[in-house]
Amino acid sequence: YFARRFEESLAQYQKTAAEHPHYPLAFYGLCWNSRRLGRYDEALEAIRRAMELSGDSPFMLTAYGQTLAAAGKTTEARLVLD
């Protein structure tokens, strides 16, 4: 991710999520990379799964709001982030 090789990073997170389907940070990584690639529907799906696995942690809720905003869903983002 930090090398800005988002496709490679996404593939690694996909592998991690498949091998560890109850690990919320794998889905957070899927979200982050998908967002960077402009794949907002995939990003939202991934962060929703991360939230589910993490018990709606504040960290994941913030990421959800950021992802909604990045996807142009500003009204929904404001509701989450307020």
Side-chain angles (χ1 to χ4, degrees), residues 32-66:
W32 202 255
N33 281 281
S34 295
R35 265 179 48 189
R36 293 299 302 217
L37 292 166
R39 300 176 188 169
Y40 299 113
D41 289 339
E42 292 174 32
L44 286 166
E45 182 180 332
I47 198 60
R48 286 182 185 120
R49 180 68 177 135
M51 288 172 32
E52 179 183 315
L53 292 170
S54 71
D56 290 339
S57 77
F59 178 77
M60 296 301 180
L61 284 171
T62 300
Y64 179 53
Q66 292 170 333

Side-chain angles (χ1 to χ4, degrees), residues 12-27:
Q12 186 60 47
Y13 276 107
Q14 288 169 331
K15 180 181 176 190
T16 301
E19 292 175 359
H20 305 281
H22 300 289
Y23 182 51
L25 290 177
F27 293 92

Side-chain angles (χ1 to χ4, degrees), residues 2-14:
F2 292 108
R4 304 184 63 78
R5 296 192 314 248
F6 303 117
E7 289 285 352
E8 291 176 41
S9 183
L10 182 63
Q12 186 60 47
Y13 276 107
Q14 288 169 331

